Amino acid sequence: MSEETEQVDIMYGLKTVLSRIDVAVSKRSKDLPQIMPTMVAVSKIKPASLIIQAYEAGQRHFGENYVNELSEKAQDPQILEMCKDIKWHFIGHLQTNKINKLLQSPNLYMVETVDSAKLADNLNKQWEKFRQGDVKLKVMVQVNTSAEDAKNGIEPSEASTLVKHVLENCPNLDCKGLMTIGQYDYDVSLGPNPDFLLLAKCRQEVCQNLNLDIDHVELSMGMSADFEHAIELGATTVRVGSTIFGARPIKHQ
């Protein structure tokens, strides 16, 4: 792990990504909400030392896929000491039995993967125990835009129903928008990514159906391989890991 720590230039990675985001924003259609995208640095399997380096270089939003890993890093003494304003995004599949552990994590900022009314209700109920003051827990509704069985998320046609449920029945939650994982390795030479187009269309429908201001409904989509394309199609949050922290080791089956 130490060799990897020395070889990865976090500052360079962050600067590169942020400048690429600026270029993508300049190419974005003027018809889309002009929200400056938030870049979430996906730090899964990366050590606390690299997170601290990224924080010291100005990065504040970090994403984790697994509750145990987010919980461990959020409570890491060095991160607590040196990264006081860190904002943790949970971007993996959340099981009901892990909710309490997740919500106990210091500096939990957002759960991007709410994919059922039951999960929303549980988060809403449990957050009362853990929240500081009257702060609501920020959430996003996850949509399965690629219709893949392996991906979590609700059907696109159900997005309005779930957002409405959160707005009307979950007073402790602040629904910020919609999120998708989308299919991996989409070839942009075939045209705009249909997953990103579909999520943007979902947002339009949600806003029309629920009379919401589209400028206040965010879209979390796009990762290291396609975040620029996602921004051009309306992403307001992108999740970038390997471009900042270096490639992750290949999983062995």
Side-chain angles (χ1 to χ4, degrees), residues 69-220:
E69 196 171 351
L70 190 151
S71 170
E72 197 176 301
K73 287 175 177 172
Q75 296 181 64
D76 180 280
Q78 276 190 298
I79 289 178
L80 283 170
E81 173 62 31
M82 300 173 77
C83 310
K84 300 243 187 276
D85 294 324
I86 197 165
K87 294 175 168 68
W88 291 107
H89 292 238
F90 184 70
I91 56 174
H93 179 55
L94 181 55
Q95 294 163 306
T96 313
N97 63 345
K98 292 280 180 79
I99 286 176
N100 278 4
K101 184 165 194 177
L102 177 65
L103 297 188
Q104 284 170 27
S105 306
N107 298 307
L108 178 67
Y109 180 76
M110 184 184 285
V111 176
E112 293 198 18
T113 47
V114 173
D115 58 2
S116 69
K118 182 185 168 198
L119 181 58
D121 290 340
N122 272 303
L123 285 168
N124 179 65
K125 186 177 165 196
Q126 303 301 340
W127 185 240
E128 283 195 271
K129 290 189 224 166
F130 302 111
R131 69 173 174 190
Q132 306 296 311
D134 57 0
V135 178
K136 294 184 175 192
L137 175 65
K138 294 177 178 65
V139 298
M140 285 191 171
V141 163
Q142 183 178 1
V143 182
N144 185 348
T145 51
S146 53
E148 294 172 81
D149 291 340
K151 299 261 165 65
N152 295 298
I154 53 160
E155 298 283 324
S157 60
E158 294 168 8
S160 291
T161 308
L162 185 48
V163 171
K164 184 173 193 264
H165 178 84
V166 175
L167 294 175
E168 292 181 355
N169 302 296
C170 301
N172 299 315
L173 305 184
D174 179 10
C175 187
K176 301 305 285 185
L178 305 175
M179 178 266 209
T180 192
I181 306 272
Q183 60 177 313
Y184 296 118
D185 300 327
Y186 173 75
D187 181 357
V188 182
S189 70
L190 302 173
N193 186 325
D195 288 318
F196 299 163
L197 291 175
L198 182 52
L199 197 68
K201 183 171 169 252
C202 276
R203 173 171 66 177
Q204 279 184 309
E205 287 171 2
V206 166
C207 291
Q208 283 164 357
N209 293 341
L210 305 179
N211 199 20
L212 302 175
D213 180 350
I214 199 165
D215 287 338
H216 295 143
V217 180
E218 298 188 30
L219 293 183
S220 176

Side-chain angles (χ1 to χ4, degrees), residues 237-248:
T237 295
V238 291
R239 310 177 298 270
V240 182
S242 51
T243 311
I244 299 165
F245 293 112
R248 286 191 275 276

